[in-house]
Each structure stands twice: as structure tokens, then as C-alpha cells.
Amino acid sequence: MRRFTPAVLAALTLTTALTAVPAAQARDGGSPALGIAACTATACHFDVPPGTYDVRVLLGGEAASSTAIAGETRRSLLPETAVPAGEHLARSFTVNVRTPEGEPTGADGTPGLDLVLGGSATALADIRVTPARHTRQVFLVGDSTVCDQPGDPYSGWGQQLPQYLRKGVSVANYADSGESTVTYLGNPQLWATVQPQIHRGDLVLIQLAHNDKTTDEATYRANLETLVAGVREKGGEPVLVTPIVRRWFNADGTLNNGTALLVNGLGVDHPAVVRSIAAARDVPLIDLTAKTKALVESLGVEGSKALYLYNEKRDNTHTSVHGATVYAGLVRDELVAQHLVPEGLVRVG
């Protein structure tokens, strides 16, 4: 935890006083700076156009507090953060504002940037929102196991990934429920919308397999190669991600079966194809199939239920908020281990 000297705390107190002004007031050479006046005790709303924004918060107060921040369509932006009584703690993150604000084929959502304050004892002393500069985007191309799910109890791992990233890296989650490699390429709201936004140095994480149930191997391979080539054409860096496992146990407590490991009805071993493309095309690989398999098997039949929506929906494919958070952590670890995102821009622990 970062603590402040009296001099720094005094400067932050002055910042708090200065930011408690009408949200439309401009500062820093005309750039809009939106502050605490746009917040209630439980939420903040900022009238900003689509774009990428840096958010700096000052947490804490007279009493001990513990605050988490979510935004837009249930995205976790800042993990629950405890601050001792009488202290303040600054944290920053970068957020993508877009329309539709959640799934690309879903409802438009609310214009502007909406943040929800949560945690066991919320205390927001100050907030400042400014247009982001020098931001690296992490685009997500995927299905319902990745997307910004609109309602409880569902959550995709991409919905939980932003909380692991610091200011300077933003997640633009264009995963969409029900999509296969075929439909993702064919729908103008999806790949045709994502590709023009990719800039040099951006990451594009691609996890598509769950809905390729009738896609033959040649088509599946060609579609993934098309996505990889399209990212590179724009100067971005593609990252292939094997799909999360389904929680489908054998009698011996393993997941060594086609349902769990995403082998479709035509015998196409989706993770194996993804791995082979990554090797052949020199594409970074996050083997989420292997990692989630090992985790689910280690937890066992009972312990693994909490990762998925088994208890709520008898669903062994889609993850709970807890499971999505754990799986996003696995992705975070690989982003750091493979030097895809600088360690200093990633939250650990």
C-alpha cells in the first residue's frame, strides 16, 4: 500500500478542493477534467464522448474503508482496496468508453462514462477523469466466456481483466455471446468494427472456439489465420488464446474428454489447432485450456463448482464473477510472463 508524507497529503487535499467543481469546467490547456461533483455516494456519471479515459481516484477518509470500482457494463476496474482510518490512497486506471458499452451486438447502454462504487466500506475522497494519452489498447475478440456480460450471475473473464491493469493500458472488450470464428468475421458489428481501431503496438487477444461446433478444421484454421493477419496488417500484435475448459468431469476426476476440452462434433480439437497456428505463424499463445484444466482438476468436482455457474444455473460452461476473476488472473500472469504488457502496468496480488 502506498502511503503519503504530510506534504504530499496536503497537495492531495488541495487537489480535492480544486476538483470539486462543475464537471464541464476545463483545465490543463483546455482538456476536460471531470471531478467529484459528478458523483453520489454510490456512483459517478461523466458526460464524455466515446474514447479512452484516465481515471485517478483518491480513496479513504476518517474511518477505515474498503472500496472497489466497476464501470459501464459491469466491468471490474479497480479491485477492492482497503485504506486505514485517517489515511488516503491514490489509484489510477484507464477505461474504454464505447457504444454499445458492453457486447457489440447488445444494447447501446448509457452515454458517457458510468462508474459504480462498491466494497464493504466505500470511501471516495476525490476523482479526476481526463482523456487518455499514450494508451495501449488490449482488444478482446471472443465469445460469451470472454465478453462483458450484461447481467448477474454471469461474467466473462474479459469483464474482470481491467482490474488487473494500471493507467496506460485499456481493455476494449469486443467479445460477443454466441459467436464462432465464422460469425465473428461475418458480422459487420464485430471484426469489421474492431480492425479499423487497431493501432501499432495494440494487443488483440483472440479466443474463439466454444461456438465452432459445426466448423470443420480447415475453415476454423483459415478463420483464425485471417484474424491474425488482419491484426498484423494494422500494426497490432495478435495473441491466440485457447478456450477455457468446460467443467465436465470423467469418473476418475479428470477433464480428459471432448466436451471439456473443446473437441467439436466433427472431431476438430480446437485448442490443438490454436496451438499449431501459434507455432506456425509465430504468434504469442496463452494456453488457457491447459491452465484452466489444471486448476479445475486440482479443485475437484465440488471445489470447482464456484468457478462456474453450476450452483446457480447448472451451467458448466459460463463462469461466475469469482471464476471469471480467477481466469482473468491467469491471463494477467501470462501477459506479464511473456512480456506482452510491462510488469509496471499490471496489478499483482
Side-chain angles (χ1 to χ4, degrees):
M1 180 181 293
R2 181 179 166 197
R3 292 183 171 84
F4 297 99
T5 65
V8 173
L9 188 56
L12 290 171
T13 302
L14 177 60
T15 300
T16 303
L18 290 174
T19 54
V21 296
Q25 181 173 328
R27 278 193 250 128
D28 295 337
S31 297
L34 309 175
I36 197 73
C39 300
T40 67
T42 57
C44 304
H45 173 76
F46 303 98
D47 290 321
V48 296
T52 306
Y53 295 87
D54 290 332
V55 180
R56 181 184 181 278
V57 296
L58 187 66
L59 306 176
E62 293 182 1
S65 63
S66 187
T67 305
I69 300 177
E72 298 296 88
T73 302
R74 303 177 61 239
R75 298 180 220 160
S76 294
L77 300 172
L78 187 71
E80 188 158 356
T81 303
V83 183
E87 297 189 21
H88 289 86
L89 182 69
R91 287 287 183 264
S92 297
F93 55 87
T94 302
V95 60
N96 173 253
V97 177
R98 61 182 183 271
T99 303
E101 69 178 28
E103 294 182 87
T105 63
D108 283 354
T110 305
L113 171 60
D114 287 284
L115 302 177
V116 177
L117 309 176
S120 58
T122 302
L124 178 67
D126 184 35
I127 187 167
R128 175 185 171 96
V129 176
T130 52
R133 297 178 177 83
H134 312 299
T135 296
R136 189 180 194 189
Q137 293 280 16
V138 179
F139 290 93
L140 303 182
V141 169
D143 53 35
S144 59
T145 66
V146 184
C147 75
D148 287 350
Q149 289 280 1
D152 284 329
Y154 294 88
S155 181
W157 63 255
Q159 201 163 18
Q160 302 301 324
L161 185 61
Q163 66 184 300
Y164 290 121
L165 302 174
R166 299 180 187 273
K167 175 185 173 183
V169 183
S170 172
V171 175
N173 190 351
Y174 281 86
D176 196 71
S177 293
E179 306 301 341
S180 66
T181 58
V182 176
T183 61
Y184 204 94
L185 285 168
N187 189 329
Q189 293 175 283
L190 300 173
W191 182 237
T193 297
V194 175
Q195 191 192 21
Q197 300 182 62
I198 300 170
H199 294 95
R200 185 166 299 280
D202 288 340
L203 290 180
V204 183
L205 275 58
I206 303 166
Q207 186 215 281
L208 287 166
H210 281 83
N211 299 301
D212 280 280
K213 298 172 184 176
T214 59
T215 309
D216 63 75
E217 182 169 338
T219 302
Y220 183 66
R221 181 180 297 273
N223 289 342
L224 288 177
E225 290 178 339
T226 295
L227 290 167
V228 166
V231 174
R232 286 176 166 168
E233 178 186 324
K234 302 295 290 185
E237 182 169 9
V239 179
L240 288 171
V241 183
T242 58
I244 67 169
V245 294
R246 293 190 179 97
R247 184 188 162 278
W248 200 269
F249 282 93
N250 296 328
D252 63 0
T254 68
L255 301 180
N256 296 318
N257 59 77
T259 299
L261 299 181
L262 283 297
V263 178
N264 75 8
L266 300 179
V268 180
D269 186 332
H270 293 105
V273 175
V274 174
R275 294 179 190 118
S276 70
I277 294 171
R281 303 295 182 185
D282 193 26
V283 179
L285 173 73
I286 296 178
D287 197 342
L288 205 51
T289 304
K291 290 185 174 297
T292 55
K293 177 179 184 292
L295 176 60
V296 171
E297 287 182 341
S298 72
L299 292 172
V301 173
E302 290 301 317
S304 63
K305 287 178 179 178
L307 295 174
Y308 292 82
L309 294 175
Y310 179 84
N311 293 323
E312 300 87 348
K313 302 285 185 178
R314 294 297 188 268
D315 186 334
N316 292 307
T317 297
H318 297 98
T319 48
S320 62
V321 170
H322 168 66
T325 302
V326 171
Y327 287 177
L330 297 177
V331 174
R332 179 270 317 269
D333 293 345
E334 284 299 298
L335 293 175
V336 173
Q338 298 189 42
H339 307 291
L340 296 168
V341 174
E343 189 171 357
L345 295 179
V346 175
R347 300 185 198 279
V348 297

